[in-house]
Amino acid sequence: MKRISIIGAGRVGLVVAACFAKMGNKITVVDIDEDKIAEINSRVSPVAEPGLDEILNQSEIEVTSDYGKVMDSEAIFICVNTPAKKDGSISLENIVAATVQIGNILKSGGGYPLITIKSTVVPGTSEELILPILESSGKRAGQDFGFCVSPEFLRGGKGIEDFMNSARIIIGEHDTKSGDMLCDLCQVFKAPIMRTDLRTAEMIKYASNIFLAAKVSFINEIGNICKLLGIDVYEVARGMGFDDRIGAKFLNAGLGFGGPCLPKDLKALIARAKEIGYEPRLLEQVLSLNERQTLKVLELLKRHIPVRGSTVGLLGLAFKPGTDDISDSMAVTIAATLTEEGAKIKAYDPLAMHNFKKLFPHVECSTPEEVLSCDAVIIATEWEEFNRLDYKGKIVIDGRRVPKAREARVYEGICW
Ligand SMILES: NC(=O)c1ccc[n+]([C@@H]2O[C@H](COP(=O)([O-])OP(=O)(O)OC[C@H]3O[C@@H](n4cnc5c(N)ncnc54)[C@H](O)[C@@H]3O)[C@@H](O)[C@H]2O)c1
Protein backbone atom coordinates (compact mmCIF):
# COMPACT_ATOMS: atom_id res chain seq x y z
CA MET A 1 0.00 0.00 0.00
CA LYS A 2 1.36 3.40 -1.03
CA ARG A 3 0.32 6.84 0.17
CA ILE A 4 -0.78 8.70 -2.96
CA SER A 5 -2.08 12.25 -3.31
CA ILE A 6 -4.14 13.51 -6.20
CA ILE A 7 -4.35 17.25 -6.83
CA GLY A 8 -7.63 18.24 -8.51
CA ALA A 9 -10.91 16.40 -7.92
CA GLY A 10 -12.24 16.66 -11.46
CA ARG A 11 -13.04 13.88 -13.90
CA VAL A 12 -9.40 12.86 -14.29
CA GLY A 13 -8.39 13.32 -10.62
CA LEU A 14 -11.34 11.33 -9.28
CA VAL A 15 -10.87 8.49 -11.75
CA VAL A 16 -7.15 8.29 -10.94
CA ALA A 17 -7.95 8.44 -7.19
CA ALA A 18 -10.63 5.76 -7.46
CA CYS A 19 -8.49 3.38 -9.52
CA PHE A 20 -5.42 3.66 -7.28
CA ALA A 21 -7.73 3.24 -4.23
CA LYS A 22 -9.22 0.11 -5.78
CA MET A 23 -5.67 -1.26 -6.03
CA GLY A 24 -5.32 -0.93 -2.26
CA ASN A 25 -3.49 2.39 -1.92
CA LYS A 26 -4.21 5.12 0.64
CA ILE A 27 -5.48 8.15 -1.24
CA THR A 28 -5.73 11.85 -0.41
CA VAL A 29 -7.43 14.15 -2.91
CA VAL A 30 -6.89 17.92 -2.69
CA ASP A 31 -9.10 20.50 -4.38
CA ILE A 32 -9.74 24.21 -3.90
CA ASP A 33 -13.49 23.97 -4.51
CA GLU A 34 -15.11 23.54 -1.08
CA ASP A 35 -18.56 22.73 -2.51
CA LYS A 36 -17.08 19.93 -4.60
CA ILE A 37 -15.18 18.59 -1.59
CA ALA A 38 -18.41 18.51 0.47
CA GLU A 39 -20.21 16.70 -2.36
CA ILE A 40 -17.49 14.05 -2.68
CA ASN A 41 -17.28 13.62 1.08
CA SER A 42 -20.98 12.81 1.06
CA ARG A 43 -19.85 10.06 -1.37
CA VAL A 44 -21.57 11.51 -4.42
CA SER A 45 -19.38 11.97 -7.45
CA PRO A 46 -19.67 15.45 -9.01
CA VAL A 47 -18.95 13.90 -12.42
CA ALA A 48 -21.07 11.27 -14.15
CA GLU A 49 -18.64 8.33 -14.47
CA PRO A 50 -20.06 4.81 -14.28
CA GLY A 51 -18.55 2.95 -11.31
CA LEU A 52 -17.12 6.04 -9.62
CA ASP A 53 -19.80 6.38 -6.93
CA GLU A 54 -19.37 2.74 -5.87
CA ILE A 55 -15.59 3.04 -5.50
CA LEU A 56 -15.93 6.34 -3.62
CA ASN A 57 -18.34 4.64 -1.24
CA GLN A 58 -16.22 1.57 -0.66
CA SER A 59 -12.77 3.16 -0.39
CA GLU A 60 -10.95 5.15 2.19
CA ILE A 61 -10.35 8.30 0.16
CA GLU A 62 -9.71 11.51 2.03
CA VAL A 63 -10.86 14.63 0.18
CA THR A 64 -9.68 17.97 1.49
CA SER A 65 -8.61 21.53 0.64
CA ASP A 66 -5.63 21.22 2.99
CA TYR A 67 -2.39 20.84 1.03
CA GLY A 68 -0.68 19.96 4.33
CA LYS A 69 -2.26 16.51 3.99
CA VAL A 70 -0.06 15.86 0.94
CA MET A 71 3.00 15.85 3.19
CA ASP A 72 4.63 12.40 3.35
CA SER A 73 2.92 11.17 0.18
CA GLU A 74 5.06 8.76 -1.82
CA ALA A 75 3.45 9.85 -5.08
CA ILE A 76 1.62 13.03 -6.09
CA PHE A 77 -0.43 13.25 -9.30
CA ILE A 78 -1.31 16.74 -10.54
CA CYS A 79 -4.69 16.55 -12.29
CA VAL A 80 -5.93 20.17 -12.21
CA ASN A 81 -7.70 21.71 -15.19
CA THR A 82 -5.82 23.59 -17.91
CA PRO A 83 -8.68 25.50 -19.56
CA ALA A 84 -8.57 27.22 -22.94
CA LYS A 85 -7.96 30.96 -23.10
CA LYS A 86 -9.64 33.19 -25.71
CA ASP A 87 -6.63 32.97 -28.06
CA GLY A 88 -6.72 29.15 -27.99
CA SER A 89 -3.65 28.72 -25.78
CA ILE A 90 -4.18 27.01 -22.41
CA SER A 91 -4.29 28.74 -19.06
CA LEU A 92 -1.55 27.43 -16.78
CA GLU A 93 -2.76 29.42 -13.78
CA ASN A 94 -4.18 26.41 -11.89
CA ILE A 95 -1.25 24.12 -12.51
CA VAL A 96 1.17 26.85 -11.44
CA ALA A 97 -0.83 27.46 -8.25
CA ALA A 98 -0.88 23.72 -7.47
CA THR A 99 2.86 23.40 -8.20
CA VAL A 100 3.71 26.30 -5.90
CA GLN A 101 1.86 24.49 -3.07
CA ILE A 102 3.71 21.26 -3.78
CA GLY A 103 6.99 23.17 -3.88
CA ASN A 104 6.24 24.40 -0.35
CA ILE A 105 5.67 20.82 0.75
CA LEU A 106 8.93 19.71 -0.85
CA LYS A 107 10.72 22.48 1.04
CA SER A 108 9.60 21.29 4.46
CA GLY A 109 8.95 17.60 3.80
CA GLY A 110 11.27 14.62 3.70
CA GLY A 111 11.26 11.36 1.76
CA TYR A 112 11.62 11.09 -2.01
CA PRO A 113 8.17 11.80 -3.45
CA LEU A 114 7.37 11.18 -7.10
CA ILE A 115 5.54 14.11 -8.68
CA THR A 116 3.66 13.34 -11.90
CA ILE A 117 1.82 15.73 -14.21
CA LYS A 118 -1.40 14.21 -15.53
CA SER A 119 -3.00 17.47 -16.65
CA THR A 120 -2.73 18.09 -20.39
CA VAL A 121 -0.01 20.68 -20.96
CA VAL A 122 1.62 21.80 -24.23
CA PRO A 123 5.07 20.36 -25.01
CA GLY A 124 7.78 22.05 -23.02
CA THR A 125 5.57 23.13 -20.10
CA SER A 126 6.83 20.60 -17.56
CA GLU A 127 10.50 21.32 -18.21
CA GLU A 128 10.25 25.05 -18.73
CA LEU A 129 7.59 26.02 -16.19
CA ILE A 130 6.68 23.29 -13.67
CA LEU A 131 10.12 21.91 -12.87
CA PRO A 132 11.69 25.32 -12.12
CA ILE A 133 8.85 26.07 -9.67
CA LEU A 134 9.38 22.75 -7.89
CA GLU A 135 13.15 23.25 -7.80
CA SER A 136 12.81 26.75 -6.39
CA SER A 137 12.09 24.84 -3.16
CA GLY A 138 15.84 24.17 -3.03
CA LYS A 139 15.22 20.45 -3.78
CA ARG A 140 16.42 18.87 -7.05
CA ALA A 141 14.54 16.48 -9.35
CA GLY A 142 16.44 13.22 -9.60
CA GLN A 143 18.20 13.90 -6.28
CA ASP A 144 15.45 14.78 -3.79
CA PHE A 145 12.25 13.97 -5.67
CA GLY A 146 11.09 12.14 -8.79
CA PHE A 147 9.41 13.94 -11.70
CA CYS A 148 7.35 12.51 -14.56
CA VAL A 149 4.68 13.46 -17.10
CA SER A 150 2.04 10.82 -17.71
CA PRO A 151 -0.79 12.20 -19.85
CA GLU A 152 -4.27 10.80 -19.42
CA PHE A 153 -6.25 9.35 -22.34
CA LEU A 154 -9.53 8.40 -20.63
CA ARG A 155 -12.82 9.08 -22.36
CA GLY A 156 -15.54 10.94 -20.48
CA GLY A 157 -18.22 8.44 -19.37
CA LYS A 158 -15.79 5.52 -19.69
CA GLY A 159 -13.13 6.84 -17.32
CA ILE A 160 -12.84 3.93 -14.88
CA GLU A 161 -13.02 1.34 -17.65
CA ASP A 162 -10.37 3.18 -19.67
CA PHE A 163 -8.02 3.70 -16.73
CA MET A 164 -8.25 0.09 -15.58
CA ASN A 165 -7.77 -1.24 -19.14
CA SER A 166 -5.64 1.42 -20.70
CA ALA A 167 -4.36 0.88 -24.27
CA ARG A 168 -1.03 2.32 -23.10
CA ILE A 169 0.57 4.15 -20.25
CA ILE A 170 2.93 6.88 -21.40
CA ILE A 171 5.67 7.75 -18.94
CA GLY A 172 7.72 10.83 -19.69
CA GLU A 173 10.58 10.73 -17.21
CA HIS A 174 12.98 13.36 -15.96
CA ASP A 175 15.49 10.62 -15.07
CA THR A 176 15.56 6.82 -14.93
CA LYS A 177 14.83 6.59 -11.20
CA SER A 178 11.67 8.74 -11.63
CA GLY A 179 10.52 6.55 -14.52
CA ASP A 180 11.22 3.37 -12.53
CA MET A 181 9.13 4.71 -9.64
CA LEU A 182 6.13 5.45 -11.89
CA CYS A 183 6.47 2.11 -13.72
CA ASP A 184 6.40 0.41 -10.36
CA LEU A 185 3.18 2.19 -9.37
CA CYS A 186 1.45 1.61 -12.72
CA GLN A 187 2.38 -1.98 -13.54
CA VAL A 188 -0.61 -3.21 -11.54
CA PHE A 189 -2.82 -1.85 -14.35
CA LYS A 190 -1.29 -4.33 -16.82
CA ALA A 191 -1.18 -1.90 -19.76
CA PRO A 192 1.76 -1.62 -22.17
CA ILE A 193 4.12 1.03 -20.80
CA MET A 194 6.12 3.35 -23.04
CA ARG A 195 8.94 5.33 -21.46
CA THR A 196 10.19 8.52 -23.02
CA ASP A 197 11.25 12.06 -22.13
CA LEU A 198 9.02 14.74 -20.66
CA ARG A 199 8.22 16.79 -23.75
CA THR A 200 7.67 13.72 -25.97
CA ALA A 201 5.08 12.46 -23.47
CA GLU A 202 3.35 15.85 -23.57
CA MET A 203 3.31 15.76 -27.39
CA ILE A 204 1.98 12.17 -27.54
CA LYS A 205 -1.18 13.36 -25.80
CA TYR A 206 -1.73 16.22 -28.25
CA ALA A 207 -0.80 14.22 -31.33
CA SER A 208 -3.20 11.41 -30.32
CA ASN A 209 -6.20 13.66 -29.75
CA ILE A 210 -5.52 15.79 -32.80
CA PHE A 211 -5.16 12.71 -35.00
CA LEU A 212 -8.69 11.70 -33.97
CA ALA A 213 -9.96 15.21 -34.67
CA ALA A 214 -8.27 15.13 -38.09
CA LYS A 215 -9.91 11.79 -38.87
CA VAL A 216 -13.33 13.33 -38.14
CA SER A 217 -12.68 16.41 -40.28
CA PHE A 218 -11.30 14.16 -43.03
CA ILE A 219 -14.39 11.95 -43.23
CA ASN A 220 -16.65 15.02 -42.99
CA GLU A 221 -14.88 16.53 -46.00
CA ILE A 222 -15.28 13.25 -47.91
CA GLY A 223 -18.92 13.17 -46.74
CA ASN A 224 -19.60 16.68 -48.04
CA ILE A 225 -18.26 15.65 -51.45
CA CYS A 226 -20.20 12.35 -51.31
CA LYS A 227 -23.47 14.20 -50.68
CA LEU A 228 -22.96 16.25 -53.85
CA LEU A 229 -22.13 13.10 -55.82
CA GLY A 230 -25.00 11.01 -54.42
CA ILE A 231 -22.64 8.55 -52.69
CA ASP A 232 -23.26 7.20 -49.18
CA VAL A 233 -20.24 8.21 -47.11
CA TYR A 234 -21.08 5.57 -44.47
CA GLU A 235 -20.61 2.88 -47.11
CA VAL A 236 -17.35 4.53 -48.11
CA ALA A 237 -16.19 4.57 -44.45
CA ARG A 238 -17.21 0.93 -44.04
CA GLY A 239 -15.10 0.03 -47.03
CA MET A 240 -12.15 2.02 -45.70
CA GLY A 241 -12.44 0.54 -42.22
CA PHE A 242 -11.45 -2.98 -43.35
CA ASP A 243 -7.93 -1.67 -43.85
CA ASP A 244 -6.18 -1.85 -40.51
CA ARG A 245 -3.80 0.91 -41.54
CA ILE A 246 -6.90 3.16 -41.51
CA GLY A 247 -9.12 1.59 -38.83
CA ALA A 248 -12.91 1.83 -38.68
CA LYS A 249 -13.20 4.16 -35.67
CA PHE A 250 -13.73 7.92 -35.84
CA LEU A 251 -15.04 7.65 -39.40
CA ASN A 252 -18.64 8.64 -38.69
CA ALA A 253 -19.27 11.63 -40.90
CA GLY A 254 -21.61 14.25 -39.47
CA LEU A 255 -21.66 17.46 -37.49
CA GLY A 256 -18.07 17.18 -36.28
CA PHE A 257 -16.23 16.91 -32.98
CA GLY A 258 -16.77 18.80 -29.73
CA GLY A 259 -16.26 18.17 -26.03
CA PRO A 260 -13.75 19.23 -23.40
CA CYS A 261 -10.65 17.78 -25.08
CA LEU A 262 -10.40 17.63 -28.89
CA PRO A 263 -11.16 21.29 -29.75
CA LYS A 264 -9.18 22.57 -26.75
CA ASP A 265 -6.13 20.43 -27.49
CA LEU A 266 -6.23 21.26 -31.19
CA LYS A 267 -6.37 25.01 -30.51
CA ALA A 268 -3.64 24.75 -27.86
CA LEU A 269 -1.17 23.01 -30.19
CA ILE A 270 -1.95 25.50 -32.96
CA ALA A 271 -1.18 28.33 -30.51
CA ARG A 272 2.01 26.60 -29.29
CA ALA A 273 3.22 25.96 -32.87
CA LYS A 274 2.67 29.62 -33.79
CA GLU A 275 4.43 30.76 -30.64
CA ILE A 276 7.56 28.93 -31.80
CA GLY A 277 7.27 30.29 -35.36
CA TYR A 278 5.56 27.40 -37.17
CA GLU A 279 2.38 27.77 -39.25
CA PRO A 280 0.41 24.53 -38.57
CA ARG A 281 -1.69 24.55 -41.75
CA LEU A 282 -3.15 21.06 -41.49
CA LEU A 283 -4.19 21.62 -37.86
CA GLU A 284 -5.84 24.93 -38.76
CA GLN A 285 -7.78 23.24 -41.56
CA VAL A 286 -8.95 20.46 -39.20
CA LEU A 287 -10.37 23.15 -36.95
CA SER A 288 -11.94 25.33 -39.63
CA LEU A 289 -13.52 22.34 -41.40
CA ASN A 290 -15.08 21.38 -38.08
CA GLU A 291 -16.48 24.88 -37.61
CA ARG A 292 -17.80 24.86 -41.18
CA GLN A 293 -19.86 21.70 -40.54
CA THR A 294 -22.04 23.60 -38.05
CA LEU A 295 -22.76 26.30 -40.59
CA LYS A 296 -23.56 23.62 -43.13
CA VAL A 297 -26.41 22.28 -41.02
CA LEU A 298 -27.91 25.76 -40.94
CA GLU A 299 -27.50 26.12 -44.70
CA LEU A 300 -29.46 22.87 -45.14
CA LEU A 301 -32.14 24.08 -42.73
CA LYS A 302 -32.58 27.29 -44.74
CA ARG A 303 -33.37 25.26 -47.84
CA HIS A 304 -36.58 24.19 -46.13
CA ILE A 305 -37.67 26.98 -43.74
CA PRO A 306 -36.79 30.64 -43.17
CA VAL A 307 -34.88 30.87 -39.89
CA ARG A 308 -36.16 34.26 -38.72
CA GLY A 309 -39.49 33.85 -36.97
CA SER A 310 -39.45 30.01 -37.09
CA THR A 311 -39.31 27.65 -34.14
CA VAL A 312 -36.47 25.18 -34.54
CA GLY A 313 -36.21 21.99 -32.49
CA LEU A 314 -32.80 20.81 -31.27
CA LEU A 315 -32.54 17.11 -30.47
CA GLY A 316 -29.34 16.48 -28.52
CA LEU A 317 -27.28 19.04 -26.64
CA ALA A 318 -24.41 17.03 -25.13
CA PHE A 319 -21.25 16.81 -27.26
CA LYS A 320 -21.75 13.04 -27.47
CA PRO A 321 -24.26 10.49 -26.15
CA GLY A 322 -23.86 9.23 -22.58
CA THR A 323 -22.74 12.50 -21.02
CA ASP A 324 -24.23 15.76 -19.72
CA ASP A 325 -21.16 17.66 -20.95
CA ILE A 326 -21.93 20.46 -23.40
CA SER A 327 -18.36 21.86 -23.63
CA ASP A 328 -17.72 22.92 -27.22
CA SER A 329 -20.80 20.94 -28.20
CA MET A 330 -22.08 21.53 -31.74
CA ALA A 331 -25.56 22.15 -30.31
CA VAL A 332 -24.20 25.19 -28.47
CA THR A 333 -22.88 26.78 -31.67
CA ILE A 334 -26.08 25.92 -33.53
CA ALA A 335 -28.27 27.42 -30.78
CA ALA A 336 -26.15 30.57 -30.62
CA THR A 337 -26.36 31.08 -34.40
CA LEU A 338 -30.09 30.33 -34.56
CA THR A 339 -30.75 32.81 -31.75
CA GLU A 340 -28.65 35.46 -33.47
CA GLU A 341 -30.60 34.91 -36.70
CA GLY A 342 -33.97 35.35 -35.00
CA ALA A 343 -35.27 31.78 -34.53
CA LYS A 344 -37.03 30.47 -31.44
CA ILE A 345 -35.59 27.19 -30.13
CA LYS A 346 -37.04 24.23 -28.30
CA ALA A 347 -34.45 21.72 -27.09
CA TYR A 348 -34.29 18.23 -25.63
CA ASP A 349 -31.45 16.09 -24.28
CA PRO A 350 -31.74 13.13 -21.90
CA LEU A 351 -28.92 14.39 -19.63
CA ALA A 352 -27.60 17.80 -20.59
CA MET A 353 -30.61 20.16 -20.33
CA HIS A 354 -29.59 21.56 -16.93
CA ASN A 355 -26.19 22.58 -18.32
CA PHE A 356 -27.70 23.97 -21.52
CA LYS A 357 -30.19 26.08 -19.54
CA LYS A 358 -27.30 27.84 -17.80
CA LEU A 359 -25.96 29.04 -21.16
CA PHE A 360 -29.29 29.61 -22.90
CA PRO A 361 -31.88 30.58 -20.25
CA HIS A 362 -34.23 31.77 -23.03
CA VAL A 363 -34.35 28.35 -24.73
CA GLU A 364 -37.36 26.23 -23.86
CA CYS A 365 -36.09 22.82 -22.72
CA SER A 366 -38.84 20.41 -23.42
CA THR A 367 -39.92 16.85 -24.23
CA PRO A 368 -38.82 15.12 -27.48
CA GLU A 369 -42.44 15.26 -28.67
CA GLU A 370 -42.60 19.04 -28.13
CA VAL A 371 -39.32 19.43 -29.98
CA LEU A 372 -40.68 17.37 -32.86
CA SER A 373 -43.67 19.72 -33.10
CA CYS A 374 -41.39 22.60 -34.21
CA ASP A 375 -41.23 23.94 -37.77
CA ALA A 376 -38.07 21.88 -38.34
CA VAL A 377 -35.78 19.74 -36.21
CA ILE A 378 -31.98 19.45 -36.11
CA ILE A 379 -30.44 16.27 -34.66
CA ALA A 380 -27.14 17.22 -33.04
CA THR A 381 -26.29 14.19 -30.83
CA GLU A 382 -26.78 10.51 -31.65
CA TRP A 383 -28.62 9.43 -28.49
CA GLU A 384 -30.05 5.95 -28.98
CA GLU A 385 -33.52 7.01 -27.84
CA PHE A 386 -33.74 9.37 -30.85
CA ASN A 387 -34.00 6.26 -32.97
CA ARG A 388 -37.33 5.43 -31.32
CA LEU A 389 -39.08 8.76 -31.98
CA ASP A 390 -41.87 9.30 -34.49
CA TYR A 391 -40.54 11.56 -37.24
CA LYS A 392 -43.42 11.08 -39.67
CA GLY A 393 -44.61 14.35 -41.22
CA LYS A 394 -41.63 16.36 -39.89
CA ILE A 395 -38.77 18.32 -41.47
CA VAL A 396 -35.52 16.87 -40.12
CA ILE A 397 -31.92 17.96 -40.67
CA ASP A 398 -29.85 15.08 -39.35
CA GLY A 399 -26.30 15.80 -38.21
CA ARG A 400 -25.72 12.35 -36.73
CA ARG A 401 -27.25 9.70 -38.98
CA VAL A 402 -30.20 8.50 -36.89
CA PRO A 403 -31.81 5.76 -39.07
CA LYS A 404 -35.42 6.30 -37.90
CA ALA A 405 -35.26 10.00 -38.77
CA ARG A 406 -35.36 9.00 -42.45
CA GLU A 407 -39.12 8.50 -42.02
CA ALA A 408 -39.51 12.29 -41.87
CA ARG A 409 -41.54 14.05 -44.57
CA VAL A 410 -38.43 16.05 -45.45
CA TYR A 411 -35.11 14.45 -44.49
CA GLU A 412 -31.65 15.94 -45.06
CA GLY A 413 -28.50 14.26 -43.79
CA ILE A 414 -25.58 16.62 -43.38
CA CYS A 415 -23.16 14.49 -45.48
CA TRP A 416 -25.56 12.00 -46.99
N1 LIG B 1 -11.97 15.30 -18.88
C1 LIG B 1 -11.33 14.38 -19.60
O1 LIG B 1 -11.94 13.45 -20.13
C2 LIG B 1 -9.81 14.46 -19.77
C3 LIG B 1 -9.14 13.40 -20.39
C4 LIG B 1 -7.78 13.47 -20.50
C5 LIG B 1 -7.08 14.58 -20.03
N2 LIG B 1 -7.74 15.60 -19.46
C6 LIG B 1 -6.95 16.73 -18.93
O2 LIG B 1 -6.80 16.53 -17.52
C7 LIG B 1 -6.84 17.77 -16.82
C8 LIG B 1 -7.98 17.76 -15.82
O3 LIG B 1 -9.19 17.61 -16.51
P1 LIG B 1 -10.57 17.39 -15.75
O4 LIG B 1 -11.57 17.15 -16.81
O5 LIG B 1 -10.41 16.43 -14.65
O6 LIG B 1 -10.79 18.86 -15.14
P2 LIG B 1 -11.95 19.34 -14.17
O7 LIG B 1 -12.24 20.75 -14.51
O8 LIG B 1 -13.07 18.35 -14.16
O9 LIG B 1 -11.28 19.28 -12.73
C9 LIG B 1 -10.17 19.99 -12.35
C10 LIG B 1 -10.20 20.18 -10.84
O10 LIG B 1 -9.00 20.84 -10.43
C11 LIG B 1 -9.34 21.71 -9.37
N3 LIG B 1 -8.28 22.71 -9.18
C12 LIG B 1 -8.03 23.82 -9.92
N4 LIG B 1 -6.97 24.48 -9.42
C13 LIG B 1 -6.54 23.77 -8.34
C14 LIG B 1 -5.50 23.94 -7.40
N5 LIG B 1 -4.65 24.97 -7.48
N6 LIG B 1 -5.36 23.03 -6.41
C15 LIG B 1 -6.20 21.96 -6.33
N7 LIG B 1 -7.22 21.76 -7.17
C16 LIG B 1 -7.38 22.65 -8.17
C17 LIG B 1 -10.66 22.31 -9.78
O11 LIG B 1 -11.35 22.86 -8.69
C18 LIG B 1 -11.36 21.06 -10.36
O12 LIG B 1 -12.10 20.37 -9.38
C19 LIG B 1 -6.96 18.85 -17.91
O13 LIG B 1 -5.69 19.30 -18.25
C20 LIG B 1 -7.60 18.10 -19.06
O14 LIG B 1 -7.30 18.71 -20.31
C21 LIG B 1 -9.08 15.56 -19.30
Side-chain angles (χ1 to χ4, degrees), residues 6-15 29-34 36-37 40 46-47 49 64-65 67 78-83 90-91 93-101 117-121 151-157 159 205-206 209 260-261 264-265 319-320 325:
I6 313 290
I7 314 299
R11 191 177 296 277
V12 171
L14 286 177
V15 167
V29 179
V30 180
D31 204 285
I32 47 172
D33 182 338
E34 294 289 356
K36 199 179 251 191
I37 293 168
I40 303 166
V47 291
E49 277 299 336
T64 174
S65 58
Y67 266 92
I78 302 184
C79 306
V80 301
N81 45 337
T82 46
I90 47 168
S91 162
E93 216 176 291
N94 295 336
I95 198 159
V96 165
T99 308
V100 167
Q101 296 279 359
I117 309 296
K118 274 228 157 273
S119 301
T120 302
V121 290
E152 189 44 61
F153 298 95
L154 60 82
R155 293 165 295 172
K205 168 69 188 173
Y206 279 94
N209 267 0
C261 292
K264 174 177 92 111
D265 292 352
F319 82 92
K320 65 173 184 182
D325 195 341

Side-chain angles (χ1 to χ4, degrees), residues 258-316:
C261 292
L262 298 195
K264 174 177 92 111
D265 292 352
L266 179 55
K267 288 177 196 162
L269 194 65
I270 291 174
R272 178 67 172 146
K274 287 185 167 171
E275 190 184 292
I276 52 174
Y278 182 79
E279 204 55 50
R281 293 220 193 118
L282 176 64
L283 307 194
E284 286 180 318
Q285 280 302 313
V286 170
L287 185 62
S288 77
L289 280 169
N290 197 51
E291 289 165 354
R292 198 175 74 181
Q293 283 307 90
T294 327
L295 300 178
K296 205 170 165 263
V297 92
L298 296 171
E299 249 171 64
L300 292 176
L301 178 75
K302 286 174 194 169
R303 285 190 196 167
H304 302 287
I305 59 161
V307 166
R308 185 164 301 281
S310 293
T311 306
V312 179
L314 249 184
L315 274 180

Side-chain angles (χ1 to χ4, degrees), residues 311-358:
T311 306
V312 179
L314 249 184
L315 274 180
L317 306 171
F319 82 92
K320 65 173 184 182
T323 178
D324 63 353
D325 195 341
I326 58 161
S327 340
D328 271 325
S329 150
M330 291 315 199
V332 169
T333 322
I334 293 171
T337 316
L338 284 173
T339 305
E340 216 175 275
E341 295 190 8
K344 212 175 141 226
I345 303 167
K346 282 188 189 179
Y348 170 76
D349 188 283
L351 284 183
M353 291 203 287
H354 64 291
N355 284 333
F356 198 76
K357 250 317 200 203
K358 289 180 208 154

Side-chain angles (χ1 to χ4, degrees), residues 15 47 78 92 102 109 111 128-129 134 141-142 165-166 172 174 179 289 321 374:
V15 167
V47 291
I78 302 184
L92 296 167
I102 293 164
E128 291 160 21
L129 182 73
L134 293 172
N165 309 288
S166 190
H174 169 271
L289 280 169
C374 293

